[in-house]
Amino acid sequence: MTVNLESMYQEIILDHYKNPHGRGLRDPFDAESFQVNPTCGDEVTLRVKVTDGKVSDVSYEGQGCSISQASTSVLTDLVTGHTVDEALTTMDAFVELMQGRGNIEPDEDVLEDGVAFAGVAKYPARVKCALLGWMAFKDALARTSNEVEA
Amino acid sequence: MTVNLESMYQEIILDHYKNPHGRGLRDPFDAESFQVNPTCGDEVTLRVKVTDGKVSDVSYEGQGCSISQASTSVLTDLVTGHTVDEALTTMDAFVELMQGRGNIEPDEDVLEDGVAFAGVAKYPARVKCALLGWMAFKDALARTSNEVEA
Amino acid sequence: MTTTTANTTPLDVAAVRADFPILSRTVRDGKPLVYLDSGATSQRPVQVLDAERRFLETANAAVHRGAHQLAEEATDAYEDARAKIADFVGATPGELVFTKNATEGINLVAYAMGNAATDPGRAVASFAVGPGDEIVITEMEHHANLVPWQQLCQRTGATLRWFGVTEDGRLDLSNLDELITERTKVVAFAHQSNVLGTVNPVEPLVRKAHEVGALVLLDACQSVPHFPVDFTALGVDFAVFSGHKMLAPSGIGVLYGRRELLEAMPPFLTGGSMIELVRMEGSTFAPPPQKFEAGVPMTSQAVGLGAAVDYLNAIGMDRVAAHEHLLAERALTGLAEIPGVRIIGPPDTVDRGATVAFVVDGVHPHDAGQVLDSLGIAVRVGHHCAWPLHRSCGVPATVRATFYLYNELSEVDALVNGVREAQRFFGVA
Amino acid sequence: MTTTTANTTPLDVAAVRADFPILSRTVRDGKPLVYLDSGATSQRPVQVLDAERRFLETANAAVHRGAHQLAEEATDAYEDARAKIADFVGATPGELVFTKNATEGINLVAYAMGNAATDPGRAVASFAVGPGDEIVITEMEHHANLVPWQQLCQRTGATLRWFGVTEDGRLDLSNLDELITERTKVVAFAHQSNVLGTVNPVEPLVRKAHEVGALVLLDACQSVPHFPVDFTALGVDFAVFSGHKMLAPSGIGVLYGRRELLEAMPPFLTGGSMIELVRMEGSTFAPPPQKFEAGVPMTSQAVGLGAAVDYLNAIGMDRVAAHEHLLAERALTGLAEIPGVRIIGPPDTVDRGATVAFVVDGVHPHDAGQVLDSLGIAVRVGHHCAWPLHRSCGVPATVRATFYLYNELSEVDALVNGVREAQRFFGVA
Ligand SMILES: Cc1ncc(COP(=O)(O)O)c(C=O)c1O
Ligand SMILES: Cc1ncc(COP(=O)(O)O)c(C=O)c1O
């Protein structure tokens, strides 16, 4: 087994992959988003419940590789219980990390288990995997606020 | 002036260009054909009159370079007064010469002044010029026989 | 393609490999490259690279437009390439249209058929497509031979129908007479599937289609590069393939069309070099193939494709096919021996090319591909532009290894070992 | 383009020429090549040839489709090239679609507009074209920016209208308000005429078009290679140009489109890599630019175009323009001195590029071109894919000399002497 393989598949990632957190679609929810990765067919359906300005629940279902599944699991840990603003800040930090081509030093205070994905950022073709759940979260959240506004 | 220029522009060609034979559209005629060279816009309108199985008149009008004008002039000499079959044989010989890339030895008995075009055959872009009038002749002749058959 | 090596000397793979500079590079910290993704795009031998460069350094000019010496030489090189390529697939030069890739070729036919409805020219009735008409494809098509037909149906009101795929990855022709009927305008299908490796039977489809007056388009992207193909003998009306899958440059593809069809078909892309007469009020068009080649074409790329054909001819397509047969056999056997690995496609080498797709229980294709990549083995993972086929096979994605004349048997073994490694890494073996 | 050399050091033409292998060849029995046909297609410097070859020998793979290292490197090279080229024309990468040539780019817009009528998506109203709608072009257009619009009108029932050309080869904008009206859907015109050399005024046409809600397509084939162009600053909605006219490979062109237009516009060519979701029943599409790039693209050619942009940037487009200005001036002056020679186009260098078309009394352009060719001078003769323009100028054909950064003033003199030689040969001087 090779060095670069271990830099991508950190133990944390494999743990989340094997034992995903918060998996399964739950009620009640405010908005749902379905996202698909057109190059490999991986997909995720993700629901968001916002209560008093806080992300009170994130639930999801999907099929995909270890990276997409683990990053969605990490997502639920990072945003659940936080305000919408905090969740968006975390999301921005994660997206920035993933698009940084491995040149960005992740902030463990913000990203917690998410720092394990730093190695994935070196593999452009896998970045989309790591972002799949986050794109669903962003989209669902936008729909929530649309509904709130409407 | 260069050798290859003289191999294309034989005296005979320049003579026919400056003093074209049989130019001008005449009545009566059995069929008319309009042909154009799409790369340079040269055009010819050519009429054929067939009497008792013989090409009794070829008349034409057009605009174009020395090669296209001279070859149409030579055409009138070669086919007028000959049977349709003889004219077609001459045409085939001329087309063969022109498409031979300079590797075909022309038969002066058949092509008379037409042998002067042997040098043109080395210039693929000019072959279409030399054939413009002949294509019009072929087309007009075909229309004549269609009308005869009809 | 059950060609055997009986009466040909086997391919000298080492000699072939020496012609491909990229095959000597390393990837991922010094691993030798094991390139098993030729089904996506092949690599180029120096003979092709040199032919293109020589053209560009000595004869480059706009073809069919100039009268100076360079223009003559460029036009000759371009048309000589066309003649050579035509010969390679049993066609005449006037039946070969250069496109940017196979995808454009299929779109060309689909759009030209749509255009036939408003064409003031002599479009034959068989082209015009409208409500009530049907286009028949198969569930194993590449998106390139699927989406253009969906779009044609959307534009014209015609209906798309399709053949299914059997459990063992063959075309299900049991409802041939139901699907191909008097309403059918076009039957379009892959000669060889880019996922299953299946080589489809052309003859019964051509026979039935012609019986009802439908046109046949053959997607030959995965056949022409890999075994001898003769479009005239196959009796198809149209066919397409891409240069980049057969050792030639990217940016060039071929549409074959029977001469009388190309004559009758309205144009698709319009502009310079494809016209006969242009006035502001309207235009007429040149005879084929020029009619379908608008604008300055892929000149050096055509020359490169001609050189690729020379290269393949020198080796012999029978020999290429025989070599790939050996590779496919070894891969199918080796993978079948691994518990938890399932081949998606025919399990044996009967009517089957060297395209081997598979899934590994408990290891997502993306993850399997990543492990292989870390070992220097380049395969493709995903749905390989055949999403409906994957859905019908009940898998979201597969790992796909595709072999070509420059692959060695030892590379097949590397693949098999790599798959075992992936199982170990993800704890499923 | 009245750039002067005042504040730039002049181009070192000898150094430039050394980069172009083809320029050292001879033609017609040992004559040095004088290449004055760059308006048809330019020649390629070793920097471009080497960049393409390096890519093919080290990183070639199918882009946007694979996850292995080669695929990553190829995708990076392809997208880096896109970013570089976008920057060169004042655009962002997402606004740049790779096509096979400029002709495909114009067809893409024309077909996508036609498709808008049946598109189930969110096509904006400004795209759909039908009876009563008008497309406005000019009489000086290249067939590439004329025939596709004729065909769109034929398919949809829309009407084609056009600006005329003045006696001195300028666009006649006197009837601007009559031609561009509320009925106008698109205004499409050449930035620089490929025959007259005229640089057309973009600003008044964009202003008027946008006033009535029409889209503007700029044919930048003869501007982007020759002087600095910024599409965003010009305010056009679409623009096209071709790689082969700017030192880059053939087989690649660019369509620029404002982001929101590309987002809203329905697709044209369909197939692999441009999809979002594919089912047999229907498909959805990727965001631009992928939406418009179906099939395996012109990968190495994009890399080559990126290298050409590097090459031009290193020299500086201001310097290129200044050099061409000198060449144009010398040619216009030299030819004007010959009795019986008439320039077709503006006689001076104001708003005019280094494209010089002319006729010689008593010598047909084909014959003049032949004499020049025999002297090693490559020019183009004919109507240069602008037949209606020639008709409106009252000439069936012209001789056209086009200059580029690698041409020397002495080559202009060779042209002028060659024209005198043609007059002598045909006995008109
Ligand atoms: C002004 C203009 N427009 C369009 C084109 C067409 O370019 P291409 O043939 O590369 O598509 C050309 C060149 O041929 C041109 O000069
Ligand atoms: C079977 C098949 N059809 C069509 C295509 C499309 O070819 P291209 O992308 O070169 O147009 C491919 C390859 O991608 C293929 O494998």
Side-chain angles (χ1 to χ4, degrees):
Chain A
M1 202 219 321
T2 67
V3 176
N4 61 59
L5 203 56
E6 295 201 307
S7 85
M8 171 178 290
Y9 293 110
Q10 304 271 321
E11 271 312 307
I12 298 177
I13 293 179
L14 294 176
D15 284 349
H16 275 275
Y17 176 45
K18 282 167 198 159
N19 306 297
H21 304 181
R23 198 180 166 94
L25 292 174
R26 285 181 294 277
D27 284 311
F29 65 98
D30 297 320
E32 180 177 294
S33 172
F34 171 75
Q35 295 291 319
V36 63
N37 181 340
T39 46
C40 63
D42 283 3
E43 47 186 59
V44 66
T45 305
L46 184 143
R47 294 177 174 178
V48 173
K49 172 78 191 150
V50 176
T51 316
D52 301 334
K54 282 190 171 168
V55 179
S56 52
D57 192 33
V58 173
S59 69
Y60 65 96
E61 196 53 84
Q63 62 182 16
C65 63
S66 58
I67 304 297
S68 71
Q69 298 305 296
S71 96
T72 311
S73 170
V74 168
L75 178 159
T76 68
D77 288 356
L78 285 177
V79 302
T80 311
H82 290 266
T83 66
V84 168
D85 280 353
E86 286 164 354
L88 288 174
T89 305
T90 307
M91 184 181 80
D92 288 346
F94 189 77
V95 171
E96 195 197 351
L97 173 65
M98 295 317 299
Q99 292 175 343
R101 297 249 151 171
N103 301 322
I104 288 177
E105 200 50 58
D107 181 346
E108 190 153 1
D109 289 346
V110 178
L111 290 178
E112 302 174 19
D113 279 6
V115 300
F117 290 83
V120 177
K122 283 183 230 139
Y123 297 82
R126 303 304 297 276
V127 168
K128 276 190 217 142
C129 309
L131 291 178
L132 188 67
W134 292 85
M135 291 304 109
F137 176 64
K138 183 183 181 180
D139 183 46
L141 212 55
R143 287 164 196 257
T144 329
S145 55
N146 284 350
E147 268 154 42
V148 171
E149 276 162 26
Chain B
M1 204 219 320
T2 68
V3 176
N4 61 61
L5 204 54
E6 296 200 309
S7 85
M8 171 180 288
Y9 293 110
Q10 304 271 320
E11 270 313 307
I12 297 177
I13 293 180
L14 293 176
D15 284 348
H16 275 275
Y17 176 45
K18 282 168 198 160
N19 305 297
H21 303 180
R23 200 181 166 94
L25 292 173
R26 285 182 294 278
D27 283 312
F29 66 97
D30 297 321
E32 179 178 294
S33 172
F34 170 75
Q35 296 290 319
V36 62
N37 181 340
T39 47
C40 63
D42 284 2
E43 47 186 58
V44 66
T45 304
L46 183 143
R47 293 177 175 177
V48 173
K49 173 76 191 152
V50 176
T51 315
D52 300 335
K54 283 192 173 166
V55 179
S56 53
D57 191 34
V58 173
S59 69
Y60 65 96
E61 196 52 84
Q63 61 183 18
C65 62
S66 57
I67 304 297
S68 71
Q69 298 306 297
S71 97
T72 311
S73 169
V74 168
L75 178 158
T76 68
D77 288 355
L78 286 177
V79 302
T80 312
H82 290 265
T83 67
V84 168
D85 280 353
E86 284 165 355
L88 288 174
T89 306
T90 306
M91 183 181 79
D92 288 345
F94 189 76
V95 170
E96 196 197 350
L97 172 66
M98 294 317 300
Q99 292 176 342
R101 297 246 151 175
N103 301 323
I104 287 177
E105 201 51 58
D107 182 344
E108 189 153 2
D109 288 345
V110 177
L111 290 179
E112 302 175 17
D113 279 5
V115 300
F117 291 83
V120 177
K122 283 184 230 140
Y123 296 84
R126 303 305 296 278
V127 168
K128 277 189 217 143
C129 307
L131 291 177
L132 188 67
W134 292 84
M135 292 302 109
F137 176 65
K138 183 182 182 180
D139 184 46
L141 212 54
R143 288 165 198 255
T144 329
S145 56
N146 283 349
E147 270 154 40
V148 172
E149 276 161 25
Chain C
M1 291 299 90
T2 49
T3 324
T4 66
T5 50
N7 46 17
T8 56
T9 43
L11 198 67
D12 180 351
V13 189
V16 167
R17 290 180 69 84
D19 291 331
F20 292 78
I22 203 172
L23 295 181
S24 58
R25 77 162 272 181
T26 60
V27 291
R28 302 296 179 213
D29 305 321
K31 311 254 169 3
L33 170 65
V34 177
Y35 189 72
L36 305 183
D37 198 16
S38 298
T41 202
S42 67
Q43 298 301 343
R44 330 272 190 258
V46 283
Q47 288 83 345
V48 167
L49 298 173
D50 288 348
E52 203 178 349
R53 181 139 187 166
R54 203 177 316 117
F55 171 82
L56 288 169
E57 292 191 346
T58 62
N60 180 56
V63 300
H64 285 301
R65 288 192 181 183
H68 52 76
Q69 186 177 345
L70 288 194
E72 276 174 13
E73 291 181 16
T75 304
D76 281 354
Y78 182 67
E79 292 303 331
D80 287 352
R82 192 197 304 272
K84 217 182 278 186
I85 300 157
D87 197 55
F88 188 67
V89 291
T92 56
E95 296 176 314
L96 234 68
V97 175
F98 287 128
T99 58
K100 68 174 173 179
N101 52 25
T103 302
E104 184 196 337
I106 298 171
N107 277 272
L108 190 166
V109 175
Y111 271 103
M113 295 188 80
N115 289 350
T118 55
D119 187 67
R122 57 212 170 102
V124 292
S126 52
F127 287 128
V129 173
D133 291 334
E134 295 178 356
I135 312 283
V136 177
I137 61 171
T138 89
E139 215 169 359
M140 66 166 83
E141 295 314 306
H142 188 281
H143 294 163
N145 200 25
L146 193 175
V147 189
W149 303 115
Q150 285 182 339
Q151 295 289 104
L152 175 64
C153 289
Q154 183 181 297
R155 288 195 299 274
T156 60
T159 304
L160 189 69
R161 305 188 68 186
W162 53 87
F163 287 99
V165 176
T166 65
E167 286 233 333
D168 58 342
R170 303 278 174 190
L171 219 48
D172 178 3
L173 294 181
S174 61
N175 51 354
L176 183 70
D177 294 336
E178 271 159 65
L179 276 174
I180 302 182
T181 70
E182 300 292 330
R183 291 187 298 278
T184 310
K185 285 282 175 174
V186 186
V187 179
F189 63 97
H191 200 178
Q192 174 174 318
S193 160
N194 72 314
V195 178
L196 308 167
T198 314
V199 176
N200 289 315
V202 178
E203 197 271 333
L205 286 160
V206 166
R207 186 162 19 92
K208 182 69 195 174
H210 286 173
E211 222 173 273
V212 300
L215 297 167
V216 173
L217 182 144
L218 187 71
D219 176 354
C221 281
Q222 299 288 349
S223 59
V224 165
H226 300 290
F227 55 86
V229 174
D230 182 321
F231 294 141
T232 307
L234 288 172
V236 297
D237 300 293
F238 296 105
V240 299
F241 57 97
S242 276
H244 68 89
K245 292 189 202 281
M246 53 186 288
L247 314 183
S250 57
I252 186 152
V254 168
L255 166 70
Y256 158 84
R258 283 199 295 112
R259 180 75 198 183
E260 71 245 48
L261 294 174
L262 293 184
E263 302 258 8
M265 197 161 73
F268 168 46
L269 299 178
T270 57
S273 297
M274 55 74 70
I275 56 94
E276 182 187 57
L277 210 93
V278 177
R279 297 178 193 280
M280 294 307 287
E281 295 76 16
S283 304
T284 55
F285 305 110
Q290 272 70 38
K291 178 166 57 170
F292 300 103
E293 295 183 358
V296 169
M298 301 65 70
T299 326
S300 68
Q301 291 82 9
V303 171
L305 179 50
V309 161
D310 285 342
Y311 188 88
L312 290 168
N313 275 335
I315 289 174
M317 287 307 294
D318 277 327
R319 260 225 245 140
V320 170
H323 177 66
E324 291 190 32
H325 188 80
L326 292 179
L327 294 164
E329 205 153 46
R330 180 96 143 217
L332 290 169
T333 314
L335 290 169
E337 280 169 4
I338 309 178
V341 169
R342 183 157 57 94
I343 303 287
I344 305 296
D348 56 33
T349 55
V350 179
D351 290 337
R352 185 193 206 299
T355 288
V356 182
F358 58 93
V359 290
V360 184
D361 287 349
V363 185
H364 187 278
H366 249 175
D367 293 320
Q370 199 75 48
V371 174
L372 292 171
D373 175 51
S374 78
L375 299 166
I377 304 166
V379 295
R380 186 160 164 202
V381 296
H383 51 61
H384 323 302
C385 301
W387 208 334
L389 172 65
H390 278 77
R391 242 181 246 115
S392 101
C393 294
V395 291
T398 53
V399 181
R400 183 189 73 171
T402 45
F403 302 92
Y404 208 1
L405 74 170
Y406 40 61
N407 288 122
E408 302 182 280
L409 288 171
S410 64
E411 295 182 305
V412 178
D413 300 339
L415 169 72
V416 173
N417 291 334
V419 171
R420 290 188 192 273
E421 175 70 33
Q423 288 182 317
R424 269 193 298 276
F425 185 78
F426 285 98
V428 299
Chain D
M1 291 292 93
T2 49
T3 326
T4 66
T5 51
N7 46 16
T8 56
T9 44
L11 197 69
D12 182 350
V13 189
V16 167
R17 290 180 70 84
D19 291 332
F20 292 78
I22 203 172
L23 295 182
S24 57
R25 77 162 272 183
T26 58
V27 290
R28 303 293 181 216
D29 305 321
K31 310 254 169 3
L33 171 65
V34 177
Y35 188 72
L36 305 184
D37 198 16
S38 296
T41 202
S42 67
Q43 298 300 343
R44 329 274 190 258
V46 283
Q47 287 83 346
V48 167
L49 299 173
D50 287 349
E52 202 178 348
R53 181 138 187 168
R54 203 177 315 118
F55 171 82
L56 288 168
E57 291 191 347
T58 62
N60 180 55
V63 299
H64 287 299
R65 289 190 181 186
H68 53 76
Q69 186 176 344
L70 288 195
E72 277 174 12
E73 291 181 15
T75 305
D76 281 355
Y78 182 68
E79 291 303 332
D80 287 353
R82 192 197 304 272
K84 217 182 282 188
I85 300 157
D87 198 55
F88 187 67
V89 292
T92 56
E95 296 176 314
L96 235 67
V97 175
F98 287 128
T99 58
K100 68 174 174 178
N101 52 24
T103 303
E104 185 195 337
I106 299 171
N107 278 273
L108 190 164
V109 176
Y111 271 103
M113 295 188 80
N115 290 351
T118 55
D119 187 68
R122 56 207 169 102
V124 291
S126 53
F127 287 128
V129 173
D133 291 334
E134 294 178 356
I135 313 282
V136 177
I137 61 172
T138 88
E139 215 169 358
M140 67 166 82
E141 294 315 306
H142 187 281
H143 295 163
N145 201 24
L146 192 176
V147 188
W149 303 115
Q150 284 182 340
Q151 295 289 105
L152 175 63
C153 289
Q154 182 181 296
R155 289 195 299 274
T156 61
T159 303
L160 189 68
R161 305 188 67 187
W162 53 88
F163 286 99
V165 175
T166 65
E167 285 234 333
D168 59 340
R170 304 278 173 190
L171 219 48
D172 177 3
L173 294 181
S174 61
N175 52 351
L176 182 71
D177 294 337
E178 271 160 63
L179 276 174
I180 302 182
T181 70
E182 300 292 330
R183 291 186 299 277
T184 311
K185 284 283 175 172
V186 185
V187 179
F189 63 97
H191 200 180
Q192 174 175 317
S193 160
N194 72 314
V195 178
L196 308 168
T198 314
V199 176
N200 289 314
V202 178
E203 197 271 334
L205 286 160
V206 166
R207 184 161 22 89
K208 182 68 196 176
H210 286 172
E211 220 174 275
V212 300
L215 297 167
V216 173
L217 183 143
L218 188 71
D219 176 354
C221 282
Q222 298 288 350
S223 59
V224 164
H226 299 290
F227 55 85
V229 174
D230 182 321
F231 293 141
T232 307
L234 288 172
V236 296
D237 300 293
F238 295 106
V240 299
F241 58 97
S242 274
H244 67 87
K245 292 189 202 282
M246 53 186 287
L247 315 182
S250 57
I252 186 151
V254 168
L255 167 69
Y256 158 85
R258 283 199 294 114
R259 180 76 196 183
E260 71 243 51
L261 294 174
L262 293 184
E263 302 257 9
M265 198 161 71
F268 168 48
L269 299 178
T270 57
S273 296
M274 55 73 69
I275 57 95
E276 182 187 57
L277 211 94
V278 177
R279 296 177 193 282
M280 293 309 285
E281 296 76 16
S283 305
T284 56
F285 305 110
Q290 272 70 39
K291 178 166 57 169
F292 300 103
E293 295 182 357
V296 169
M298 300 66 69
T299 326
S300 68
Q301 291 82 7
V303 171
L305 180 51
V309 161
D310 285 342
Y311 188 88
L312 289 169
N313 276 334
I315 288 174
M317 287 307 293
D318 277 325
R319 261 225 242 142
V320 170
H323 178 65
E324 291 191 32
H325 187 80
L326 292 180
L327 294 164
E329 206 153 46
R330 179 95 143 216
L332 290 169
T333 314
L335 290 170
E337 280 170 5
I338 309 179
V341 169
R342 183 157 56 97
I343 303 288
I344 304 296
D348 57 31
T349 56
V350 179
D351 290 339
R352 186 196 206 297
T355 288
V356 181
F358 57 94
V359 289
V360 184
D361 287 346
V363 185
H364 187 279
H366 249 174
D367 293 320
Q370 198 75 47
V371 173
L372 292 171
D373 175 50
S374 78
L375 300 166
I377 304 166
V379 294
R380 186 160 163 203
V381 296
H383 52 60
H384 323 302
C385 301
W387 207 334
L389 172 64
H390 278 76
R391 243 181 247 115
S392 101
C393 294
V395 290
T398 52
V399 180
R400 183 188 73 173
T402 47
F403 302 92
Y404 209 2
L405 73 169
Y406 39 62
N407 287 122
E408 301 181 279
L409 288 171
S410 64
E411 295 182 305
V412 178
D413 300 340
L415 169 72
V416 173
N417 291 334
V419 172
R420 290 188 191 272
E421 174 71 32
Q423 288 182 315
R424 269 192 297 276
F425 185 75
F426 284 96
V428 297

